[in-house]
């Protein structure tokens, strides 16, 4: 009877907990633009370019920002790609311009009229003056549209409100791509050595040129390359290897370890799953010599397993090549010289049985703690609020708290 009564007492709390679980996913699943557009076949080509240029990662990283994404039908996107000369770097500029950093729908435009709005293109620093803005235009009758901020730019009318989540997120289809003179201009990557030198990485540039690794980098730039260039001070660090006395093979390994055979700008690195290994040019078939990413807010660091190096600045972001600077050398574990040698473990005869048992238990406890921490981190990451208002999420959290308290 006591057990039956206990179960009955738990029923209200269990029901509240179930309601909480049903409410939280929609409020906490996060905004994923490519996943949303997967449900619309007419935007398949647009979605493809969002992924290839990694603009999707920039959009998804702004979970707390109100945004309006101006999408293009297959024909309009084909026109944009042709105008950009097929260059992914140029197409990326345009897709950033079509990512507006505010919420718009017909009701808002008709209420407030014409205005100017910032875009991702302006936010990245690639825009000159106000060219990175778009104009929101209230047209006749029920129509409204968007245009470039330059004088005389054509107005691209909104033909469909694909999705609207008031004051948080909207997807609108426009008749044609928004363009202006200079939008498709991209930085030259023809002289990698000069780019490195201008970024304050002269020592690294000299080593790359003298070792022959420059040809390896250049051969990968057209298909996908992310290069992490350490500044000159990094080679003077106490735990940095002596590159002057390294064998040619070790030097090549060190330099290849500073590059990923894929396009991963800083925003995309932030989206990498914690602990997931990233393949470098030095990675072996057995999986040795990879790196992992540690991201916290806007800070991104690269972890070799022995040390970490912060990603400092973006020098060039020109799909499919990205040049980033880092604060310290990325050293493959077998070449690392800064780690202190571990003290030899005591023999069974020297250590008491209880100490040996504790030593044996310690790794599993540490692993359990790490797994628990990873679980909490993933849980926090998955709870970024997307289109639901913050008040709804707070209410859901309150219900969860009450339900869990009742169960406990």
């Amino acid at each position: 009877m006591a057990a039956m009564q206990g179960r009955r007492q738990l029923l209200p709390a269990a029901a509240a907990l179930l309601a909480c679980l049903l409410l939280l996913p929609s409020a906490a699943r996060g905004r994923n633009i490519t996943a949303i557009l997967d449900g619309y076949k007419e935007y398949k080509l647009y979605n493809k370019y969002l992924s290839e240029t990694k603009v999707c990662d920039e959009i998804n990283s702004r979970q707390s920002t109100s945004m309006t994404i101006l999408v293009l039908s297959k024909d309009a996107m084909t026109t944009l790609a042709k105008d950009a000369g097929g260059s992914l770097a140029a197409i990326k500029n345009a897709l950033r311009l079509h990512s507006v950093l505010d919420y718009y729908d017909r009701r808002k435009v008709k209420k407030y009229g014409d205005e100017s709005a910032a875009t991702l293109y302006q936010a990245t620093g690639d825009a000159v003056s106000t060219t990175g803005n778009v104009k929101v235009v209230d047209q006749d009758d029920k129509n409204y549209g968007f245009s470039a901020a330059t004088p005389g730019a054509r107005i691209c009318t909104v033909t469909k409100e694909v999705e609207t989540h008031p004051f948080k997120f909207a997807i609108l289809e426009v008749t044609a791509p928004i363009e202006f003179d200079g939008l498709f201009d991209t930085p030259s990557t023809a002289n990698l050595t000069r780019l490195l030198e201008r970024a304050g990485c002269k020592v690294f540039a000299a080593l790359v040129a003298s070792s022959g690794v420059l040809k390896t980098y250049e051969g990968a730039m057209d298909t996908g390359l992310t290069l992490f260039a350490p500044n000159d001070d990094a080679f003077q660090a106490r735990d940095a290897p002596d590159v002057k006395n390294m064998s040619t093979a070790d030097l090549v390994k060190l330099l290849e370890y500073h590059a990923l055979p894929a396009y991963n700008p800083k925003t995309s690195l932030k989206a990498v799953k914690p602990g997931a290994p990233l393949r470098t040019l030095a990675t072996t078939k057995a999986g040795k010599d990879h790196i992992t990413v540690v991201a916290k807010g806007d800070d991104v660091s690269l972890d070799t397993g022995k040390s970490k190096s912060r990603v400092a600045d973006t020098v060039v972001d020109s799909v499919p090549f990205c040049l980033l600077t880092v604060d310290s050398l990325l050293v493959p574990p077998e070449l690392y010289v800064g780690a202190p040698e571990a003290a030899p473990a005591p023999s069974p005869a020297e250590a008491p049985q209880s100490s040996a048992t504790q030593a044996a238990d310690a790794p599993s406890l540490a692993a359990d703690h790490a797994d628990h921490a990873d679980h909490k981190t993933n849980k926090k990451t998955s709870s970024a609020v997307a289109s639901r208002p913050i008040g709804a999420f707070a209410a859901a959290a309150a219900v969860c708290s009450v339900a869990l308290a009742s169960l406990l």
Side-chain angles (χ1 to χ4, degrees), residues 233-408:
D233 291 340
F235 290 88
Q236 305 302 320
R238 183 175 61 180
D239 58 351
D242 184 1
V243 293
K244 294 180 180 179
N245 294 320
M246 292 182 75
S247 67
T248 300
D250 286 347
L251 180 59
V252 169
K253 178 183 284 291
L254 176 73
L255 298 176
E256 290 184 343
Y257 193 63
H258 283 77
L260 308 179
Y263 172 66
N264 287 99
K266 186 176 179 179
T267 305
S268 298
L269 290 173
K270 288 164 55 178
V272 173
K273 183 179 179 181
L278 286 179
R279 184 171 170 265
T280 69
L281 288 180
T283 299
T284 65
K285 292 182 178 179
K288 290 179 59 179
D289 297 332
H290 59 253
I291 59 174
T292 57
V293 177
V294 179
K296 185 177 182 180
D298 289 331
D299 290 334
V300 177
S301 296
L302 304 172
D303 191 348
T304 68
K306 292 289 187 178
S307 63
K308 295 178 184 177
S309 181
R310 185 181 71 94
V311 177
D313 297 306
T314 298
V315 179
V316 174
D317 181 356
S318 184
V319 193
F321 170 65
C322 189
L323 173 58
L324 307 168
T325 58
V326 290
D327 288 341
S328 56
L329 284 175
L330 300 172
V331 184
E334 64 267 30
L335 300 182
Y336 185 73
V337 297
E341 294 185 5
S347 65
E350 297 172 343
Q353 182 62 36
S354 58
S355 299
T357 303
Q358 291 175 3
D361 288 343
S364 61
L365 290 173
D368 288 346
H369 178 72
D371 288 344
H372 180 62
D374 287 344
H375 175 70
K376 289 175 66 179
T377 301
N378 292 335
K379 190 172 182 181
K380 290 180 181 178
T381 303
S382 65
S383 63
V385 177
S387 58
R388 188 181 295 271
I390 294 176
F393 178 76
V399 173
C400 285
S401 300
V402 172
L404 290 173
S406 300
L407 286 173
L408 295 174

Side-chain angles (χ1 to χ4, degrees), residues 17-370:
L17 180 59
L18 178 60
C20 153
L21 294 174
L22 290 174
L23 178 60
L24 278 177
S26 61
R29 58 174 175 256
R31 181 166 63 214
N32 188 322
I33 185 62
T34 53
I36 294 172
L37 291 181
D38 274 342
Y40 299 92
K41 294 181 179 180
E42 59 268 44
Y43 309 125
K44 183 177 180 180
L45 185 60
Y46 184 93
N47 206 18
K48 171 179 175 288
Y49 281 116
L50 277 183
S51 296
E52 290 183 358
T53 60
K54 304 293 186 179
V55 172
C56 57
D57 291 335
E58 296 183 23
I59 294 172
N60 294 340
S61 70
R62 293 175 174 266
Q63 294 292 327
S64 60
T65 303
S66 296
M67 293 192 71
T68 300
I69 310 302
L70 306 177
V71 298
L72 301 168
S73 65
K74 181 180 178 180
D75 290 343
M77 188 64 229
T78 300
T79 298
L80 173 58
K82 184 177 179 181
D83 292 345
S87 165
L88 283 177
I91 292 172
K92 181 168 188 172
N93 285 351
L95 294 180
R96 282 171 163 171
L97 186 68
H98 285 71
S99 304
V100 184
L101 301 178
D102 204 346
Y103 174 84
Y104 291 97
D105 61 12
R106 181 177 290 106
R107 179 178 297 182
K108 179 179 177 180
V109 175
K110 292 302 176 181
K111 181 176 181 179
Y112 295 104
D114 298 357
E115 61 182 55
S116 178
T119 67
L120 276 181
Y121 180 59
Q122 184 186 48
T124 57
D126 295 328
V128 178
S129 186
T130 59
T131 57
N133 284 353
V134 292
K135 289 183 178 179
V136 187
V137 184
D138 181 7
Q139 297 175 292
D140 296 335
D141 299 325
K142 295 182 179 180
N143 294 332
Y144 68 106
F146 295 81
S147 73
T150 52
R154 71 180 175 189
I155 300 173
C156 303
T157 301
V158 174
T159 55
K160 184 192 302 183
E161 293 186 335
V162 182
E163 287 199 16
T164 56
H165 304 276
F167 308 109
K168 291 298 295 181
F169 185 65
I171 300 176
L172 310 176
E173 180 188 302
V174 290
T175 53
I178 302 171
E179 300 176 6
F180 61 84
D181 290 341
L183 174 63
F184 300 125
D185 294 344
T186 58
S188 173
T189 58
N191 193 325
L192 180 56
T193 303
R194 181 173 296 177
L195 287 173
L196 289 170
E197 290 174 347
R198 288 179 177 176
C201 307
K202 293 181 179 180
V203 176
F204 186 73
L207 292 173
V208 168
S210 63
S211 65
V213 175
L214 178 61
K215 292 183 178 179
T216 302
Y217 289 165
E218 291 175 336
M221 285 172 65
D222 291 336
T223 56
L225 181 72
T226 301
L227 183 58
F228 303 112
N231 57 44
D232 292 344
D233 291 340
F235 290 88
Q236 305 302 320
R238 183 175 61 180
D239 58 351
D242 184 1
V243 293
K244 294 180 180 179
N245 294 320
M246 292 182 75
S247 67
T248 300
D250 286 347
L251 180 59
V252 169
K253 178 183 284 291
L254 176 73
L255 298 176
E256 290 184 343
Y257 193 63
H258 283 77
L260 308 179
Y263 172 66
N264 287 99
K266 186 176 179 179
T267 305
S268 298
L269 290 173
K270 288 164 55 178
V272 173
K273 183 179 179 181
L278 286 179
R279 184 171 170 265
T280 69
L281 288 180
T283 299
T284 65
K285 292 182 178 179
K288 290 179 59 179
D289 297 332
H290 59 253
I291 59 174
T292 57
V293 177
V294 179
K296 185 177 182 180
D298 289 331
D299 290 334
V300 177
S301 296
L302 304 172
D303 191 348
T304 68
K306 292 289 187 178
S307 63
K308 295 178 184 177
S309 181
R310 185 181 71 94
V311 177
D313 297 306
T314 298
V315 179
V316 174
D317 181 356
S318 184
V319 193
F321 170 65
C322 189
L323 173 58
L324 307 168
T325 58
V326 290
D327 288 341
S328 56
L329 284 175
L330 300 172
V331 184
E334 64 267 30
L335 300 182
Y336 185 73
V337 297
E341 294 185 5
S347 65
E350 297 172 343
Q353 182 62 36
S354 58
S355 299
T357 303
Q358 291 175 3
D361 288 343
S364 61
L365 290 173
D368 288 346
H369 178 72

